[in-house]
Amino acid sequence: LNLLEKDYFGIRYVDPDKQRHWLEFTKSISKQMKSQPPFTMCLRVKFYPPDPAALKEEITRYLVFLQIKRDLYHGRLLCKTSDAAMLAAYILQAEIGDYDPGKHPEGYSSKFQFFPKHSEKLERRIAEIHKTELIGQTPETAELKFLQKAQMLETYGVDPHPCKDVSGNPAFLAFTPFGFVVLQGNKRVHFLKWDEVTKLKFEGKTFHIYANQKEDKKIILTYFAPTPEACKHLWKCGVENQAFYKLEKSSQVRTVSSSNLFFKGSRFRYSGRVAKEVMEQSAKIKREPPEIHRIKSTTLHVLTVSLQGVLIPSSENRQDLPGGGESESFIPRSRSQVTDSGDRTAVISDETYSPSDSVLPTPVAEHSLELAVSRQINGAPCSIEEEKESEAGTPTVGDVGELGADSRVAGPVQSAGGEAALSEMEQVNKFVLSVLRLLLVTIGLLFVLLLLLIILTESDLDIAFLRDIRQTPEFEQFHYEYFCPLRRWFACKLRWVGGLLINK
């Protein structure tokens, strides 16, 4: 892709249990993937920049533009109708240029799919803005204006995690460049800046976030994820985002545990540069701007990575590439003033926040490698219908046609049985691992106590705190009534074993 600002990127995949993951570059792919090769993954924005317009290179800004355009289509970037019309008009200007009555007949904006659903009134408003307010803007300028507008929205940078609160009400949790947010209905009900977040924990399906707000006000927010795997993914995303946006140097990154107990829970460490380092490194870039091949179509484009040595342009990844960010000091003043407001509850849109791909945001398409290669050769992008099918995790018509009636019936049954067995095995493995950790901690503590006992009873060290312990009545009683007889018994047994060995 000829990118230098690659810290904004992440590779995402979905496992057979329909759980999404970020690929960890420090581990081998075979240890992370539960499915069989070929592995299909998607290049996504992992860290959204607080000010995308301030990115160093135009190619990075363009790819952020594609990602946010995709977020808009999938309902992640939800906003009020007036903002939606403006954003869609910028997309039109970037893709087709100035309005031309000869090329753009009545209703031309309806051919573009900007949102999950929209009305004719909104389409007319989009066309009106495009015709009158954006004349003369180049694609670069329109994209820049789009980024500046999107960056000011409350749902900018939101990668939603569906959860439920303690009352059982649905909610979406997300980590943004500015902090942790909770979205319910059409409102942002909680917002915690990264400097306020002190700890992230999870146990099973339960996720806790600890924070210190103004006047030393400590709060604990608790939410419940659909599955333990989803909760762990939520926790890891939080750990990475907090490290990326909050820390000054990558050397400050520490391994984080999901539990207070050594032998229990998961441990995770963010591996990568932090936002401030990324911005400093980007400022040193000095090269001729690379050529940008802009996509002009009514569908979404992404870059799917099939790990057989082929990069496949398809419907999912050209759009969601970069997503980096900066630390608190990089936050634009206008947005910083918004987030510092005393009212942490804000109306985010005219509709309820319900992203269409909140559960499976990055599905793995079931298309064969041959189909993908043919798309690459022919330059044919996937359609919106195909992408929506892949987002829902459903096979395409061609895939279904290749399966017989028996396989359609037997397949789900076998899959369900296999997934159940795999889930039980994972639970057993986790339990065994916890027991082993507890056993190791217990043995370690006993070993330390034994060393201390030997030092107290057998050494000649004349240290004040050891002398004080030796002079206590309890220690003297233990020494003469228990330790000395036990030592004589061990010595006797050792002499007896030594005698047997000598006789043999």
Side-chain angles (χ1 to χ4, degrees):
L1 293 172
N2 201 15
L3 282 169
L4 296 182
E5 299 171 292
K6 35 191 163 172
D7 298 84
Y8 299 130
F9 295 82
I11 296 180
R12 178 174 272 174
Y13 65 95
V14 173
D15 66 21
D17 297 325
K18 307 303 181 184
Q19 174 58 47
R20 58 184 182 172
H21 301 273
W22 288 108
L23 192 70
E24 296 182 39
F25 302 134
T26 57
K27 298 180 181 179
S28 66
I29 294 172
S30 59
K31 291 183 179 180
Q32 300 181 63
M33 304 293 290
K34 296 181 181 179
S35 58
Q36 297 298 318
F39 304 124
T40 305
M41 304 179 183
C42 296
L43 199 57
R44 298 276 195 228
V45 171
K46 188 172 185 180
F47 303 110
Y48 286 76
D51 187 4
L55 292 169
K56 177 70 173 181
E57 296 202 303
E58 184 183 339
I59 187 172
T60 313
R61 291 195 297 271
Y62 173 64
L63 293 168
V64 174
F65 163 77
L66 291 177
Q67 169 71 76
I68 299 175
K69 187 173 74 167
R70 183 181 188 277
D71 292 347
L72 191 68
Y73 171 73
H74 284 288
R76 292 178 169 218
L77 186 68
L78 197 61
C79 53
K80 296 182 180 180
T81 305
S82 57
D83 294 325
M86 199 71 206
L87 290 170
Y90 284 132
I91 295 174
L92 268 183
Q93 183 68 24
E95 295 223 352
I96 66 175
D98 291 342
Y99 170 72
D100 186 345
K103 296 180 180 179
H104 308 136
E106 188 69 24
Y108 69 98
S109 64
S110 63
K111 297 180 181 179
F112 291 78
Q113 301 184 15
F114 306 109
F115 316 103
K117 57 181 180 179
H118 49 87
S119 63
E120 293 183 4
K121 181 180 179 181
L122 180 57
E123 289 178 3
R124 290 194 297 269
R125 178 57 182 156
I126 294 169
E128 179 184 344
I129 296 174
H130 176 239
K131 293 176 183 178
T132 59
E133 300 182 25
L134 307 181
I135 297 175
Q137 289 189 7
T138 63
E140 295 87 345
T141 302
E143 291 162 6
L144 183 63
K145 297 288 186 182
F146 176 90
L147 293 176
Q148 291 172 336
K149 182 70 175 177
Q151 177 257 329
M152 297 300 297
L153 301 176
E154 295 294 342
T155 52
Y156 167 74
V158 165
D159 183 12
H161 298 259
C163 295
K164 291 185 177 180
D165 61 16
V166 291
S167 301
N169 300 315
F172 290 96
L173 277 59
F175 308 101
T176 75
F178 312 101
F180 169 79
V181 297
V182 179
L183 306 172
Q184 282 186 306
N186 67 336
K187 294 182 179 180
R188 183 198 67 190
V189 296
H190 289 292
F191 171 72
L192 299 172
K193 293 192 292 187
W194 285 123
D195 286 342
E196 297 174 343
V197 177
T198 58
K199 191 170 186 180
L200 301 170
K201 286 177 55 179
F202 86 95
E203 184 173 358
K205 299 180 182 180
T206 309
F207 177 75
H208 305 281
I209 182 163
Y210 297 75
N212 291 332
Q213 292 187 322
K214 295 178 180 178
E215 300 176 356
D216 295 329
K217 178 183 176 184
K218 296 184 179 181
I219 63 171
I220 302 175
L221 300 178
T222 301
Y223 289 89
F224 304 96
T227 64
E229 291 75 18
C231 196
K232 183 176 182 179
H233 174 67
L234 171 64
W235 172 72
K236 291 174 71 173
C237 288
V239 170
E240 290 189 310
N241 276 269
Q242 186 176 25
F244 186 83
Y245 294 115
K246 184 178 180 179
L247 299 181
E248 295 288 324
K249 298 179 181 178
S250 55
S251 58
Q252 297 174 339
V253 176
R254 297 289 181 266
T255 300
V256 180
S257 175
S258 64
S259 173
N260 293 329
L261 301 177
F262 170 77
F263 58 86
K264 190 177 181 181
S266 301
R267 267 159 293 282
F268 180 67
R269 179 187 177 93
Y270 168 64
S271 56
R273 293 187 294 185
V274 299
K276 189 171 183 179
E277 292 175 330
V278 173
M279 294 296 291
E280 291 173 350
Q281 192 67 29
S282 296
K284 300 176 183 178
I285 296 177
K286 295 180 180 179
R287 67 167 179 173
E288 288 295 321
E291 185 180 358
I292 300 175
H293 300 282
R294 283 181 166 79
I295 299 168
K296 296 184 181 297
S297 71
T298 59
T299 58
L300 301 175
H301 297 261
V302 184
L303 190 70
T304 297
V305 183
S306 179
L307 295 181
Q308 288 189 343
V310 183
L311 287 178
I312 308 165
S314 76
S315 75
E316 267 214 335
N317 260 1
R318 294 291 282 282
Q319 300 215 72
D320 20 343
L321 289 174
E326 310 143 38
S327 63
E328 192 75 21
S329 59
F330 291 113
I331 296 178
R333 180 174 299 178
S334 57
R335 181 60 187 255
S336 180
Q337 291 170 351
V338 172
T339 57
D340 284 339
S341 62
D343 184 9
R344 292 176 179 266
T345 300
V347 176
I348 58 175
S349 70
D350 304 320
E351 302 175 2
T352 298
Y353 187 81
S354 181
S356 60
D357 60 338
S358 60
V359 178
L360 294 177
T362 312
V364 176
E366 297 295 334
H367 302 301
S368 65
L369 180 64
E370 292 76 16
L371 176 61
V373 172
S374 69
R375 289 190 183 280
Q376 183 186 30
I377 295 173
N378 299 327
C382 294
S383 66
I384 287 293
E385 287 72 22
E386 288 175 322
E387 181 168 359
K388 288 173 70 176
E389 286 176 350
S390 67
E391 288 288 349
T394 57
T396 60
V397 175
D399 295 326
V400 175
E402 294 174 0
L403 300 176
D406 293 339
S407 65
R408 285 198 297 268
V409 174
V413 176
Q414 295 173 355
S415 177
E419 289 179 2
L422 183 62
S423 178
E424 291 179 1
M425 183 63 69
E426 288 179 350
Q427 291 179 358
V428 171
N429 290 338
K430 289 180 180 178
F431 174 75
V432 172
L433 188 60
S434 297
V435 172
L436 288 176
R437 286 176 179 170
L438 178 60
L439 184 61
L440 287 174
V441 172
T442 304
I443 293 174
L445 291 174
L446 291 175
F447 182 72
V448 170
L449 290 174
L450 179 62
L451 287 178
L452 180 60
L453 182 61
I454 292 174
I455 291 173
L456 285 171
T457 56
E458 302 297 328
S459 71
D460 296 328
L461 293 175
D462 191 18
I463 302 175
F465 82 94
L466 293 179
R467 186 168 58 250
D468 292 339
I469 294 176
R470 290 177 183 135
Q471 291 176 355
T472 59
E474 293 82 1
F475 180 80
E476 291 181 354
Q477 181 181 5
F478 167 80
H479 180 73
Y480 292 112
E481 293 186 10
Y482 298 99
F483 182 78
C484 289
L486 185 63
R487 184 176 59 178
R488 287 194 295 270
W489 181 82
F490 267 111
C492 180
K493 292 298 180 182
L494 287 174
R495 285 195 298 271
W496 178 70
V497 172
L500 289 177
L501 293 175
I502 292 172
N503 293 332
K504 288 182 179 181

